[in-house]
Amino acid sequence: MNRIWYQAEEVFPIDGTPEERQHVFWVPVDAHYFNIAKKLQIQSLELEGCVNATTPKVATVLRGASASIYVDNAAYRSFIHNQFMVSPVEMESAGVALICHQQLVPFITIRALSDLAGGGSAESNEADTFITVAATNSVIALVQFIKELSLSIASFLFN
């Protein structure tokens, strides 16, 4: 890899002056949503087992990143973790995060990792092996997140 660069995205927030752009590099998740997600870490969710000896678990991360590249390089993965404290990298949520940020809508990303970003076998990428398990476990975690969110809303409304 010869050269890489990172840049903030331009956002035109609905609560700002029209056509006055702002720049955002990190889109914060909603604090309430994040606290609910942290509860999922301590619950004993019945996640689908991995194809190897690894036991899947729910975990929150300090920072996740969304990029226009598929990361399958252990050195790059280590670099962005050391430089930005990023773990994991995925390709889909940035657009949703930016629109939520612009529209002042609460946001969180719930993902399951489907590969090791270059940390596994040199012969193949693990995505094909883990994608079905990752998708299933994402749904399990999301359904439980929605249940917990519903309980927190009910508690707020009726107390």
Side-chain angles (χ1 to χ4, degrees):
M1 195 175 317
N2 185 15
R3 181 180 301 182
I4 55 174
W5 75 92
Y6 305 91
Q7 66 187 37
E9 292 291 332
E10 293 182 344
V11 180
F12 297 89
I14 62 169
D15 64 340
T17 305
E19 300 306 316
E20 187 173 301
R21 72 188 71 181
Q22 295 177 5
H23 292 90
V24 62
F25 193 78
W26 299 111
V27 177
V29 300
D30 181 79
H32 180 64
Y33 287 3
F34 189 71
N35 287 331
I36 292 172
K38 285 169 50 173
K39 287 181 183 179
L40 299 182
Q41 291 183 131
I42 58 174
Q43 294 179 359
S44 297
L45 296 182
E46 291 188 33
L47 300 174
E48 185 173 311
C50 291
V51 295
N52 58 17
T54 305
T55 302
K57 64 180 181 176
V58 174
T60 56
V61 297
L62 178 62
R63 287 191 178 133
S66 194
S68 60
I69 60 170
Y70 182 83
V71 177
D72 189 22
N73 181 300
Y76 181 65
R77 181 194 67 214
S78 294
F79 169 78
I80 59 175
H81 181 266
N82 293 334
Q83 191 72 26
F84 299 110
M85 295 303 296
V86 164
S87 169
V89 177
E90 46 83 29
M91 297 172 60
E92 295 84 16
S93 66
V96 175
L98 288 167
I99 294 300
C100 288
H101 180 73
Q102 177 198 38
Q103 298 294 314
L104 305 175
V105 172
F107 166 78
I108 193 166
T109 298
I110 296 177
R111 299 295 308 237
L113 300 180
S114 62
D115 63 86
L116 304 173
S121 167
E123 288 82 42
S124 68
N125 184 286
E126 296 82 12
D128 290 340
T129 304
F130 295 114
I131 197 160
T132 302
V133 173
T136 300
N137 288 340
S138 286
V139 171
I140 292 168
L142 179 61
V143 167
Q144 188 61 35
F145 176 86
I146 292 169
K147 288 178 184 177
E148 294 292 331
L149 179 60
S150 298
L151 290 173
S152 74
I153 292 170
S155 175
F156 175 77
L157 291 175
F158 298 112
N159 285 331

